[in-house]
Every structure is written in C-alpha cells, then in structure tokens.
Amino acid sequence: MEAQIFSFGLSSTLPTSPIQNQKNPFFQILLKPSSSSNNLTLKGIFLKPHVSFSPKSFPSKEFFQCRNCLQRIEREAITVPDSDVSKELRKKKLAVFVSGGGSNFRSIYEATLEGTVHGEVAVLVTNKNDCGGAKYAREQGIPVILFPKAKNSLEGLSEEDLVGSLSAYNIDFILLAGYLKLIPTELVQAFPRSIFNIHPSLLPSFGGKGYYGIKVHKAVIASGARYSGPTIHYVDEHYDTGRILAQGVVPVLANDTAETLAARVLQEEHKLYIEVAAALCEERIVWREDGVPLIRSKEDPNHYK
C-alpha cells in the first residue's frame, strides 16, 4: 500500500467548516501503513494553500481528531499503536510530585535521558522546598514549584496558580512519586486521566489516609500477608482509590522487618514506574469496556497487562 496524501483546510468539524489560520491556513496529511494492515500513521505538515480536501477521497470510514493547537500539530505525529511508536510520537512532558528523597523521580528522569521513557521531566512540584528530590531537580536544571502554599508564607502556589503553571509547561502527565499531600479537585479536573500515583502496597489493601511510607510495610507484616508490592493507579479526589493501572509483586519473607520489605518493594517501584511511564509516553494505555485500564505490550500488540 503506497502512502496517500491529502490536503485540507483545518476545521473543528472536519471536513465541512474550514478555520482560517493566517500563518498556515492549510496543512497536509500523510497517511501511511504501519506493520499492521489496519494501522495508519497521521502526520501534519504545514504547506502553502493549494488543494482543498474532499471527503470523498478519504481512504476509510475512520475519523481522526486533530488537536486544536496548530503549532502542536506541526511538530507531532499522531500514530495508531505500533511496535516502534517512539519514533513517531512527540516526547510527552511530565510533571513529577515529590515530598522526600525522590528516588522514583530520579529513576524516571534517568530513564528519559536514556530514552527508555519517551518523555521529558519539565517541572518538579514539592511541598518541601528543601527535600532531596527538589535539590536533585535544581542540580539538573529542572524548575521546582512549591505547592501547596504554606500558611503565613509568601512562597508556594494556590490550586488555581498550580493548574495555570502546569498548563503553561504543556504538561501531558503528572506522576506522584512519594508526594504526601492530597491532590486538589481543581487539578484532578484540569488533568483528567492524566495523574498517577505509586503506592507501596497491593491496593486496595493497606491503602487510604494514614497508610504511607514505613507504616504500610509494618501493617503488611503484621497482617501475615505473604506477598506485597507497589501499585500505580489513577488519581482521583481521595487517597488511593483511583483505578489501578499496574502492580508489581514481591514476597514477604518470614524474617522480614518493615525496613527490609520496604527496600524490596522500592526496587520493584523503580522498575514498575519506568514501565508505566514508558507506556504512557508511547500511548499504550487502553480502556476495557468495563472501565478498567490496561497496558498494551510493546513487544506484542495483542497482549495486555
């Protein structure tokens, strides 16, 4: 199948109502087949106006929804899932939230530098300006935002200002990595299905308000549970109640202390968060009909985790 090219006026109700853009009134779409016969790649390339789009020439009944930001269309390719999507998709911008040393943040950041995660950490948000994660971010030249605003202090942002700042950074996904504050409703609503948290137990067990850090591991051992591990879930307005996206499992040994179990779980956290961040940036998250999110395997597109 040869590549097919179509040019048309950009419209909010394609293909009937052209929206005039003074600088780039028309752009070209390149539809080319991928490794799967049912997959098409959509690329936006700005050209001088020359040919108008005819709906009769559209190659299939599928519809593609373009972003309303012309500049963003210019620099990105929107691709149906493929085995090598990182070459086609633009890098996603990530905001990471931390309250402590930020070991998960460091792992994610290093993975972006190595190319394992097709994204970039654009900003770090913390409620503790002098925590290890914030110090590391400054050393790497990553902007640091203090949130929430401390009482009787001029430092820090309000909920509204935080939403505005993250929007200004064009953030795609927010990753909570040991951030101990409840995420405000304003932020959840501004970034739907785009905020994630990692919790050091197999939710829904040992989760909710009061379950964080070493307290979680003490509770796991006291319960007699034979297995534990991290959970990455979507964030809603409550603690640890969002849809589960991924989990990792480690054994709880007979002679474990809270500290030894915490170290074992943390190693799995680093691995799991990188895998999930990579899937997010490669747009490999799919939703089952019953509302359960799944991760499509990069190696085998027919396999889901």
Side-chain angles (χ1 to χ4, degrees):
M1 177 179 177
E2 298 181 354
Q4 302 178 58
I5 298 178
F6 302 88
S7 300
F8 59 95
L10 195 62
S11 168
S12 59
T13 55
L14 289 175
T16 57
S17 305
I19 293 178
Q20 188 70 19
N21 178 269
Q22 294 180 354
K23 294 183 179 180
N24 297 289
F26 288 86
F27 72 101
Q28 186 181 79
I29 278 188
L30 170 64
L31 288 168
K32 65 180 181 180
S34 65
S35 58
S36 170
S37 61
N38 294 324
N39 290 348
L40 292 174
T41 299
L42 173 65
K43 283 189 176 181
I45 308 171
F46 285 98
L47 299 174
K48 295 179 180 179
H50 54 289
V51 182
S52 61
F53 173 74
S54 171
K56 293 182 180 179
S57 63
F58 208 75
S60 75
K61 295 181 180 180
E62 294 189 35
F63 292 89
F64 296 91
Q65 182 179 2
C66 296
R67 295 176 183 262
N68 59 6
C69 174
L70 297 182
Q71 290 75 16
R72 186 169 293 181
I73 293 175
E74 182 178 17
R75 68 168 185 247
E76 80 181 56
I78 305 170
T79 306
V80 179
D82 200 278
S83 59
D84 196 14
V85 294
S86 62
K87 292 183 179 180
E88 297 293 343
L89 296 170
R90 67 176 177 83
K91 281 189 175 182
K92 301 298 188 292
K93 292 194 174 183
L94 311 174
V96 183
F97 285 42
V98 304
S99 290
S103 65
N104 273 308
F105 155 54
R106 297 183 190 211
S107 294
I108 294 168
Y109 174 69
E110 290 171 359
T112 64
L113 297 182
E114 295 168 357
T116 307
V117 174
H118 192 62
E120 60 176 300
V121 178
V123 64
L124 180 124
V125 178
T126 182
N127 62 310
K128 297 181 179 180
N129 219 4
D130 59 348
C131 71
K135 291 178 180 178
Y136 180 77
R138 294 189 185 95
E139 291 172 358
Q140 308 308 315
I142 300 172
V144 176
I145 292 176
L146 182 62
F147 176 83
K149 187 174 183 178
K151 293 181 179 180
N152 302 320
S153 174
L154 297 177
E155 296 185 6
L157 299 184
S158 65
E159 289 84 354
E160 183 179 350
D161 290 337
L162 177 63
V163 171
S165 293
L166 295 181
S167 297
Y169 280 108
N170 295 315
I171 295 300
D172 294 290
F173 300 111
I174 296 172
L175 308 179
L176 310 187
Y179 185 73
L180 302 181
K181 294 291 185 178
L182 186 66
I183 298 302
T185 301
E186 294 88 343
L187 193 61
V188 174
Q189 293 177 348
F191 291 87
R193 287 188 175 182
S194 301
I195 309 177
F196 303 84
N197 179 51
I198 189 163
H199 183 77
S201 76
L202 295 174
L203 293 175
S205 299
F206 311 106
K209 189 174 183 179
Y211 278 103
Y212 60 89
I214 205 68
K215 293 182 179 180
V216 173
H217 307 296
K218 287 181 177 179
V220 170
I221 291 174
S223 74
R226 269 42 173 188
Y227 296 94
S228 188
T231 298
I232 294 178
H233 63 92
Y234 285 84
V235 172
D236 56 20
E237 292 85 352
H238 309 285
Y239 285 109
D240 305 328
T241 58
R243 285 286 190 177
I244 292 173
L245 178 59
Q247 291 182 313
V249 179
V250 301
V252 180
L253 305 181
N255 60 346
D256 262 338
T257 64
E259 289 72 22
T260 59
L261 178 58
R264 191 177 306 116
V265 171
L266 185 60
Q267 288 183 342
E268 189 67 21
E269 285 184 29
H270 293 166
K271 176 184 175 182
L272 187 66
Y273 225 158
I274 289 174
E275 290 178 356
V276 169
L280 289 171
C281 291
E282 293 167 10
E283 299 181 6
R284 290 189 283 111
I285 309 301
V286 297
W287 289 80
R288 212 165 62 188
E289 290 183 358
D290 59 356
V292 173
L294 302 172
I295 297 176
R296 183 178 56 81
S297 171
K298 186 174 183 177
E299 293 73 21
D300 181 4
N302 296 317
H303 179 69
Y304 298 87
K305 301 179 181 179

